[in-house]
Amino acid sequence: MSECIDLIEELTASSNWENLTTATSVNPYHIEGTKNAAFEIAEDFGQNTPDWVIVPAVAPVLQPQPGKASRN
C-alpha cells in the first residue's frame, strides 16, 4: 500500500494533479468530509434529530465524525 501512496504523491507533484485518494493517511478531506452525513441529517430532520446514528463498522475511522459534526 505504501508504494501506491508514494506513486500517487509523485504523480500529484509532477503532473499538477489533485490527490483524491481515499487513503485516510494522505487525504484529510476523506475523514473531514464524512461529517457531511451528520450535517445532512440535521438539515433533513431539523429539531427532531435521531438519538443514534449507525455507521458501518467496515470503516471504523469514520465513526467519530458524525459526533464531531454535531458538536460543530
Side-chain angles (χ1 to χ4, degrees), residues 2-66:
S2 64
E3 290 175 6
C4 291
I5 292 173
D6 291 343
L7 178 60
I8 290 168
E9 289 177 346
E10 287 174 27
L11 290 171
T12 299
S14 67
S15 303
N16 197 29
W17 291 354
E18 191 65 34
N19 181 354
L20 298 177
T21 182
T22 58
T24 58
S25 61
V26 295
N27 186 350
Y29 302 112
H30 179 72
I31 293 175
E32 290 298 310
T34 59
K35 292 190 306 184
N36 190 53
F39 292 134
E40 289 190 21
I41 290 170
E43 183 179 299
D44 290 347
F45 288 91
Q47 297 295 326
N48 298 318
T49 55
D51 292 331
W52 293 86
V53 176
I54 299 174
V55 178
V58 74
V61 69
L62 305 179
Q63 290 176 353
Q65 299 315 311

